[in-house]
Amino acid sequence: MIGAATVIVDDPDLVLLVKHSYGERNWELPGGRGETRESGEETARREAREEVGLELYDMRLTGVYWDPSVDMHHFVFRARVAERPRVADKSEITEVGWFSRDALPRPISDFTMRRIEDALAGHPPAITVIEARVWLR
């Protein structure tokens, strides 16, 4: 099982986040679970189209995170967009917004914050094992 998400940047410090309509009703990176025969990159591109109506460019892999609790690899990319984001999937997403890395909205998980920091750091991609999420409220 794979998942993919994208740290979409507008300038060095602004990141696009979506607010979920389910679960913790948290702020999250655009992304989701992969479909059959879909690569991590294809999943990230599809999820960006489905959730915020955007095509990604200047995409690069920034990390792979393995969640042993569900045996899932999460592929994370950094990308840019040329259009304005919008709520494209109203059944899943209630809001979209650009946020400074120093003023991320709540609730948000430590896992989301980690992926943002890793993507903005510019280091080569690494494989990381993740622990249970901690919710910051």
Side-chain angles (χ1 to χ4, degrees), residues 8-70:
I8 299 171
V9 294
D10 188 38
D11 81 16
D13 284 334
L14 293 181
V15 176
L16 181 68
L17 296 175
V18 299
K19 188 170 187 183
H20 286 160
S21 64
Y22 57 88
E24 298 284 333
R25 292 181 168 69
N26 58 298
W27 289 93
E28 179 62 85
L29 297 170
R33 185 173 293 178
E35 295 179 353
T36 304
R37 294 184 180 32
E38 188 175 58
S39 71
E41 181 179 347
E42 290 166 332
T43 298
R45 289 183 182 282
R46 177 182 51 75
E47 289 288 342
R49 279 190 306 273
E50 289 177 1
E51 292 184 355
V52 292
L54 296 173
E55 294 297 328
L56 303 174
Y57 72 93
D58 287 345
M59 228 176 135
R60 69 177 181 81
L61 181 68
T62 60
V64 179
Y65 303 82
W66 182 59
D67 184 345
S69 69
V70 292

Side-chain angles (χ1 to χ4, degrees), residues 100-122:
S100 166
R101 71 196 292 179
D102 298 325
L104 296 173
R106 302 294 194 265
I108 194 168
S109 73
D110 62 337
F111 179 47
T112 297
M113 293 176 73
R114 167 75 188 268
R115 292 176 293 166
I116 291 169
E117 287 304 315
D118 288 351
L120 297 179

